[in-house]
Amino acid sequence: MKPANIMRVDLRSDTVTQPTPAMRAAMLAAPLGDDVFAGDPSVNALQEKIAALLGFEAALFMPTGTQSNLCAILAHCQRGDEYIVGQFAHCYRWEGGGAAVLGSVQPQPLNHQSDGSLLLADIEAAIKPDDAHFARTRLLALENTLGGKLLPFDYVQQATELARAKGLSRHLDGARIFNAAVAQAATGGANGGDVFLEARRIAQCFDSVSVCFSKGLGAPVGSVLCGSREFLARAHRIRKMAGGGMRQSGLLAAAASYALDHHVLRLADDHALAQRLADGLRDLPGLVVETPQSNIVFVDLVDEARARADELIPFLAARGILVTGLYRLRFVTHLDLDAAGIAYTLAVMREFFRA
Ligand SMILES: *Cc1c(COP(=O)(O)O)cnc(C)c1O
């Protein structure tokens, strides 16, 4: 039987956070209008704020990151074009094949290196010559962070420069760009550790960037797509077709604005908790723990731990701890977790592996 006062520790994703009381207050106080008439002041303010922050002409608020990536790919590509993308990129693997289904845009997936990058030589080799046999290669899409990994900044520069030199557009799925910026700033960066300048430095390597507010930033809903006005005019038409024209969406934009003002720098706390969790798990038998670079810890179960894998998730769940995976577990830290939750998780994991 479950004790009534069981601690609940939800490590499935950084999407599970509840809006804080201050974020809810900001939502309720937001001035609203009809965004389909471009008349929602809170949406407009968010779009201007994020565009200025990341150094783009404009931005467009979207209900989801999936729709934001879809609008980006379809605004960069025509039917019969293709985009180069990683095998594990969200906008290839986890979005229902939307670019192909809805846009007749073909993905050209490439294998990742262990640091999450795509080899420059592989990118170059995947760019098709102008020949009727081939789809037209139009776009390189990268993701940062990818599976919690920070792409090395030198690599981001080289890959996007290669794409530019070959006439491709460059899109960043920056669902977690602020996690990337926090991680990059912590390693020194070029800007004395300024997180917002690091975010901008990453973003400026690309023609378009999609940012999620519903992940580590802790908003309930929403993403933005940033780019030039001309690009976003095309994306806006596609957003309408995809059913993403929202009305008094300033309620949601206000949460996103609040998150930009208050929840970016605190991502460092999530990264520290992920590190603490990884350090604690490393002592347990049969666990191979990847050193986290941001807020996601991957743990592979081997040997005796692997043999008991299907008992582990229910054991944790019965004690209020939610995690995804089976032989490869994923733990994600976020705004609604604290050191006590991590300590409790480690204690329960130790209990399982002692048994
Ligand atoms: C979550 C996520 C998205 C978008 O997801 P939605 O659930 O559609 O908002 C896109 N890319 C990455 C890398 C993500 O983690």
Side-chain angles (χ1 to χ4, degrees):
M1 242 204 6
K2 281 187 199 175
N5 61 348
I6 194 168
M7 190 188 273
R8 188 180 155 84
V9 184
D10 194 341
L11 292 151
R12 290 173 300 169
S13 177
D14 47 8
T15 57
V16 300
T17 56
Q18 298 278 323
T20 62
M23 180 180 277
R24 289 172 195 249
M27 294 170 76
L28 289 179
L32 304 177
D34 188 327
D35 182 55
V36 173
F37 294 112
D40 189 298
S42 300
V43 171
N44 293 338
L46 171 69
Q47 291 176 165
E48 283 160 28
K49 182 173 2 195
I50 186 78
L53 197 63
L54 295 181
F56 287 95
E57 278 179 10
L60 197 56
F61 189 48
M62 302 272 181
T64 65
T66 298
Q67 190 172 99
S68 184
N69 282 330
L70 177 73
C71 290
I73 295 169
L74 270 53
H76 284 300
C77 302
Q78 301 289 318
R79 296 181 67 210
D81 290 351
E82 72 171 6
Y83 64 111
I84 296 176
V85 65
Q87 276 287 355
F88 289 97
H90 201 280
C91 71
Y92 167 58
R93 185 167 284 251
W94 304 99
E95 296 182 1
V101 174
L102 302 168
S104 300
V105 177
Q106 150 179 305
Q108 164 61 75
L110 300 179
N111 289 328
H112 297 273
Q113 302 303 299
S114 59
D115 64 359
S117 66
L118 310 175
L119 273 187
L120 298 182
D122 289 349
I123 294 172
E124 195 160 357
I127 300 172
K128 315 292 183 292
D130 182 7
D131 175 315
H133 289 88
F134 302 121
R136 291 167 302 234
T137 313
R138 281 278 197 263
L139 174 69
L140 173 68
L142 297 181
E143 184 174 317
N144 200 10
T145 57
L146 175 101
K149 285 181 177 156
L150 172 67
L151 292 182
F153 185 68
D154 286 351
Y155 166 77
V156 171
Q157 281 183 309
Q158 289 162 12
T160 52
E161 178 49 32
L162 169 66
R164 192 200 57 74
K166 298 288 183 183
L168 309 187
S169 299
R170 292 96 31 105
H171 173 66
L172 177 67
D173 180 351
R176 296 190 179 85
I177 189 175
F178 289 108
N179 293 93
V182 164
Q184 192 160 293
T187 66
N191 298 298
D194 184 309
V195 169
F196 290 97
L197 290 179
E198 291 302 327
R200 187 189 178 98
R201 197 155 70 109
I202 296 167
Q204 283 301 300
C205 296
F206 295 86
D207 301 301
S208 60
V209 175
S210 175
V211 180
C212 283
F213 296 103
S214 55
K215 303 284 168 74
L217 295 182
V221 173
S223 291
V224 288
L225 179 61
C226 301
S228 70
R229 283 189 208 293
E230 185 247 326
F231 165 80
L232 287 171
R234 294 199 299 279
H236 185 257
R237 175 177 288 274
I238 298 156
R239 187 187 72 171
K240 186 69 191 163
M241 275 197 289
M246 298 186 287
R247 302 294 179 171
Q248 285 73 40
S249 40
L251 269 178
L252 303 174
S257 275
Y258 181 89
L260 271 185
D261 292 342
H262 299 281
H263 291 172
V264 172
L265 298 179
R266 66 149 305 287
L267 291 170
D269 302 343
D270 300 345
H271 296 192
L273 285 183
Q275 192 67 54
R276 184 181 297 195
L277 179 66
D279 290 344
L281 292 175
R282 210 168 269 123
D283 298 334
L284 297 177
L287 300 192
V288 179
V289 182
E290 273 184 18
T291 299
Q293 296 177 10
S294 61
N295 67 326
I296 304 180
V297 183
F298 282 103
V299 177
D300 288 309
L301 305 191
V302 298
D303 306 333
E304 68 273 31
R306 193 178 175 89
R308 296 176 62 210
D310 48 2
E311 297 162 45
L312 176 57
I313 300 277
F315 183 89
L316 293 173
R319 287 154 185 80
I321 300 169
L322 303 178
V323 176
T324 60
L326 179 61
Y327 300 121
R328 184 170 174 77
L329 303 177
R330 190 179 85 146
F331 302 79
V332 187
T333 58
H334 53 71
L335 183 61
D336 286 356
L337 289 175
D338 58 14
I342 296 302
Y344 173 66
T345 303
L346 287 171
V348 172
M349 288 289 282
R350 277 186 212 107
E351 185 188 335
F352 178 82
F353 285 101
R354 258 202 318 271

